[in-house]
Amino acid sequence: NPNPNPNPNPNLSNETPARILTPNPNTMQLRHLLAFGLGLGLGVGVAGDAAWKHPEALPIDCVHERITVGVQRLRAAMLGEAKLPADASEAACEDSPITPLMSAFYTRLKYKDVTATQWHLTADNLLSRNVSYTMPRSFLVPENRVDEVHVVEADSDGLFCLSATVHTPEVPYGSKFHSRFQLIFRGSADPANNADMDVTADIHYKNGGPPFLLKGQIRSGTEKETARTWKTFAGLVNGVACATADMETDPKKLAATRDEASFNLC
């Protein structure tokens, strides 16, 4: 029998999306900030204790930033408690909605209608999920829908790598190429409280891609947008971490921190 609910988007797997609510600066609870800032969350579960290889950087160099949060805490704040089933042959993982940190990140970027599927295992035994959103209009490109496939490529105490394949079918010549970005977080000299973030990108063309003269523009645009996006992420994380540290050292700043953090996170 034919599938009664065919997937309208061939770029993404047929997972059930979960609507992501935009945080309200007037109602966001301080416990979300504390759970991120103080590292109450644990790591993300992965299959087995495989010795992760250090992923190779992609060709387009975009961002190098110091994040004032340790690798394990940052990973938990980004991915939540995605746990694999006891039977690794099962494809689905437990529900893992977008975390408050990532919801705030998408909101700061002015993304709309963000949805995400549950985490699941790939054929290579890696965690993966699909994230989709509407990107705001830019100077050259109108508002458009973006589909990303996220994969956790390395996950250990001192190394975390998340890659994403990005499909933008509604932009000019979007059907002829897709991009990819890779985030690598490594423990620094103070791994419990700092991580070094390296962001690189790449472009893959289909059937030769667009006209040659446009390829340079696509590469330049990918580099600039990837850099802008993840510098925004670094600023958001470091701002929250700084506000939380101030609150810990001076309880009198509690109310002010609550207001400032809600504003920063939104």
Side-chain angles (χ1 to χ4, degrees):
N1 294 328
N3 185 353
N5 296 298
N7 188 348
N9 191 333
N11 295 324
L12 304 180
S13 63
N14 203 0
E15 297 283 338
T16 302
R19 177 73 60 175
I20 308 305
L21 298 179
T22 301
N24 186 327
N26 297 320
T27 61
M28 178 175 288
Q29 299 180 9
L30 186 61
R31 62 185 176 84
H32 287 162
L33 169 64
L34 294 174
F36 161 59
L38 302 181
L40 298 182
L42 300 177
V44 176
V46 294
D49 296 321
W52 296 101
K53 293 183 179 180
H54 193 293
E56 294 184 5
L58 300 180
I60 304 175
D61 196 28
C62 299
V63 178
H64 302 281
E65 292 279 349
R66 172 64 57 86
I67 305 294
T68 54
V69 175
V71 172
Q72 292 185 48
R73 291 163 57 193
L74 184 60
R75 179 183 59 209
M78 291 177 67
L79 303 189
E81 298 294 329
K83 298 178 181 179
L84 295 180
D87 182 357
S89 65
E90 298 178 19
C93 297
E94 296 179 3
D95 289 347
S96 180
I98 292 224
T99 62
L101 169 63
M102 296 306 292
S103 182
F105 172 51
Y106 292 139
T107 300
R108 179 166 288 194
L109 293 172
K110 298 183 179 180
Y111 293 172
K112 298 189 302 184
D113 301 322
V114 182
T115 61
T117 63
Q118 297 176 354
W119 290 101
H120 61 278
L121 279 175
T122 68
D124 296 325
N125 210 34
L126 299 175
L127 277 174
S128 178
R129 73 172 172 188
N130 304 323
V131 176
S132 299
Y133 53 86
T134 299
M135 196 171 187
R137 177 185 178 87
S138 67
F139 179 71
L140 296 176
V141 180
E143 183 178 87
N144 65 97
R145 195 70 181 162
V146 180
D147 303 312
E148 298 183 351
V149 181
H150 293 186
V151 177
V152 178
E153 297 198 13
D155 191 357
S156 65
D157 289 346
L159 175 65
F160 169 50
C161 175
L162 178 72
S163 70
T165 301
V166 184
H167 299 273
T168 52
E170 297 178 359
V171 304
Y173 295 97
S175 63
K176 292 185 175 293
F177 74 94
H178 67 264
S179 63
R180 185 168 176 250
F181 67 79
Q182 177 180 270
L183 314 175
I184 296 179
F185 300 93
R186 289 190 296 267
S188 65
D190 183 12
N193 298 302
N194 290 283
D196 292 324
M197 179 181 76
D198 297 321
V199 184
T200 54
D202 197 6
I203 301 168
H204 297 268
Y205 295 109
K206 305 173 186 178
N207 300 321
F212 178 78
L213 292 177
L214 294 178
K215 291 183 178 179
Q217 297 179 22
I218 292 173
R219 179 186 174 96
S220 175
T222 297
E223 180 178 359
K224 290 179 181 178
E225 182 60 25
T226 303
R228 182 191 74 85
T229 297
W230 293 102
K231 285 182 179 180
T232 298
F233 175 83
L236 174 64
V237 173
N238 289 338
V240 170
C242 180
T244 305
D246 288 344
M247 186 180 66
E248 289 183 272
T249 57
D250 187 355
K252 294 181 180 179
K253 294 183 178 181
L254 177 61
T257 300
R258 179 188 292 114
D259 295 339
E260 180 182 0
S262 296
F263 173 81
N264 286 341
L265 285 173
C266 297

